[in-house]
Amino acid sequence: MNFIHVLVFTFILTLTTSCGIQSIPTALNEVDASWAEVLNQYKRRTDLIPNLVSTVQGYAAHEKETLEAVMQARAEASKVEIDPTKLNAETMQKFQNAQGSLSSALGRLMVVVEKYPELKANENFLALQSQLEGTENRITIARRRYIETVKEFNNLVTVFPTSITNSLMFKHEKKPQFTISEAEQAAPKVQF
Amino acid sequence: MKKNVSLLFLFFFLFTNFLFAKVSIPELTRPVEDHAGLLNYNEQADLERLILKIQSKLGVQAQVLIIPTLEDENLEEFSIKLAETWKIGSQKKGNGVILLITLKEHNIRIEVGNGIEGELTDYWAHKTIKEVIAPNFKQQNYYQGIKGFLSNIIKAVGKESFGEEVVTEKNIGPKKLGIKTKSTYLFEIFLLFFVIFAIIGPLFSHKIIKGMLLRGTLMGSMIGITSFLVLGSILIKQILLFTFLGFIFGIIGPSNILLMLLSSRGGNHYGGGGFGGGSGGSSWGGGGGGFSGGGSSGDW
């Protein structure tokens, strides 16, 4: 009788520690934190742009259209900021599209810059170009880390046994993943 | 017989752990990991000396990795994976910086820790590659190129009076560096300990000291203290291992140990290289530093 008590007690104990009551909120926090980092890096890119545009303007004023397109895309992208709590497949798609358009506009700008050797040799421009490259790398890495935390979280929420805890206690939805937006697919690839 | 077999398993388990290594990310054992043979012994020693000095005076932990090829991997992806595995720099400050060189593709990448992106900016990294490293590498002056990288770190982190020591034949060498001296001889030291067991063991015979645990504790603590004195406080992993083994030896009874060792000599083979390679990382390693992708890529 005693032995059975111990066995049942141990069984229940293992269930409670592996059921997701700790791991689901933790994973959710990780998702929120990594999304905040993604926003952070995209913002960093957005912040670089005014300086970049004015530097290019100094040498390539004729390229008004391209420059205006960049500023326009930047304004659009700044509008679509997503709070982690409001993150779902739809808002995610909107966000990606806006940023994708900005990537395209930037890509076209960099193609145009190739025509101006003096600009390309300008110290200020070179500094901004390095920063832009670095930021694109940081964005890629932030996205990758977000994807990992979402995978972790989605697994907990959909896979047994933690999925049971989720449907009983938390009722979280799966978090959206990054996909390649159409605008991103169309962005011209420029080798710096 | 059964006892001996289970002991064998214990040994096997304990030692093969040292022999496992990660597949694509190399093991971190020293400040300049040259896996393509671009530097000679003196050059590597000099660069490592400078790296240690930079770390002690400026706090920044620099790391160099030279690999023969990336194969099909993407440079930035590999670089960040490397940084996340090695965790160069302190956890609190994130002040690590890694120079990655791939020989076949002629790639150069500087990966900057997330705490010093203000001093070692992306543009700093870009210029260092373009104006210092690449020109030297084009002339096959690999040592000069890497030294220039380190000088640029010193300049950027802002201490003018760094005091460059003159490099002479006298002050280059493993003794001065304090790197890898003990760990390369680890296998020999280990053999020494077996000899100690064989000598001290009989003193702890059943008749003289009764009680398995008492024997174990005595043996374990003796071995532990001796290994601490011999190896120094750096190789904690190894000291703990030896203490644990001493404890086990004490419990089991030294005569059994000797029998087991003598009978299973053919079965236990641990290459000195594997052992040394596994524990060489104790005196140099990452401090938990984080990376978020800052730096720059280039080629020569």
Side-chain angles (χ1 to χ4, degrees), chain B residues 40-174:
Chain B
N40 69 39
Y41 180 81
N42 286 338
E43 291 168 337
Q44 187 174 19
D46 180 57
L47 292 172
E48 290 184 330
R49 211 176 43 87
L50 187 51
I51 286 178
L52 290 176
K53 196 167 178 191
I54 291 175
Q55 185 175 35
S56 78
K57 293 212 169 182
L58 304 177
V60 174
Q61 184 179 20
Q63 176 71 42
V64 179
L65 171 64
I66 308 172
I67 53 177
T69 170
L70 269 175
E71 283 167 36
D72 280 323
E73 270 212 73
N74 172 272
L75 177 67
E76 285 79 12
E77 274 177 32
F78 180 79
S79 180
I80 191 70
K81 246 200 313 185
L82 179 74
E84 287 170 346
T85 309
W86 282 5
K87 299 193 183 16
I88 303 293
S90 87
Q91 188 170 37
K92 255 204 256 175
K93 296 195 191 151
N95 52 4
V97 56
I98 303 176
L99 175 63
L100 171 64
I101 296 157
T102 76
L103 183 57
K104 179 168 167 220
E105 296 85 359
H106 282 223
N107 280 337
I108 306 168
R109 176 159 175 91
I110 297 178
E111 193 74 47
V112 176
N114 56 18
I116 36 168
E117 289 178 354
E119 292 99 323
L120 307 183
T121 63
D122 296 345
Y123 189 39
W124 169 88
H126 172 84
K127 278 214 288 188
T128 301
I129 293 176
K130 187 163 161 214
E131 295 168 5
V132 176
I133 305 178
N136 272 302
F137 277 24
K138 283 197 179 107
Q139 314 270 351
Q140 297 189 321
N141 292 334
Y142 302 110
Y143 165 71
Q144 285 302 335
I146 300 173
K147 187 136 194 191
F149 160 71
L150 296 176
S151 302
N152 270 21
I153 294 176
I154 298 170
K155 283 188 214 151
V157 184
K159 304 272 171 78
E160 269 94 24
S161 56
F162 192 72
E164 267 292 286
E165 264 179 42
V166 174
V167 172
T168 63
E169 286 302 307
K170 272 191 287 173
N171 55 21
I172 296 175

Side-chain angles (χ1 to χ4, degrees), chain A residues 81-125:
Chain A
E81 275 272 312
I82 312 182
D83 192 296
T85 55
K86 299 191 190 66
L87 195 61
N88 58 43
E90 205 194 308
T91 55
M92 178 72 140
Q93 194 59 40
K94 251 201 253 172
F95 179 80
Q96 276 201 259
N97 286 339
Q99 290 294 346
S101 300
L102 180 51
S103 298
S104 300
L106 277 170
R108 280 192 295 272
L109 178 63
M110 289 304 150
V111 171
V112 157
V113 158
E114 292 294 315
K115 294 192 282 181
Y116 300 85
E118 275 175 19
L119 171 61
K120 288 211 290 177
N122 174 270
E123 194 78 9
N124 202 24
F125 176 76

Side-chain angles (χ1 to χ4, degrees), chain A residues 37 41 44 122-124 126-127 129-135 137-138 141-142 144-145, chain B residues 76-77 80-81 84 109 111 117 122-123 126-127 130-131 291-297:
Chain A
E37 181 64 11
Q41 299 302 355
R44 189 195 181 115
N122 174 270
E123 194 78 9
N124 202 24
L126 287 170
Q129 195 179 46
S130 301
Q131 286 177 310
L132 192 59
E133 276 174 44
T135 306
N137 192 36
R138 289 185 182 82
I141 288 167
R144 193 208 68 198
R145 289 177 179 164
Chain B
E76 285 79 12
E77 274 177 32
I80 191 70
K81 246 200 313 185
E84 287 170 346
R109 176 159 175 91
E111 193 74 47
E117 289 178 354
D122 296 345
Y123 189 39
H126 172 84
K127 278 214 288 188
K130 187 163 161 214
E131 295 168 5
F291 290 77
S292 34
S296 184
S297 307

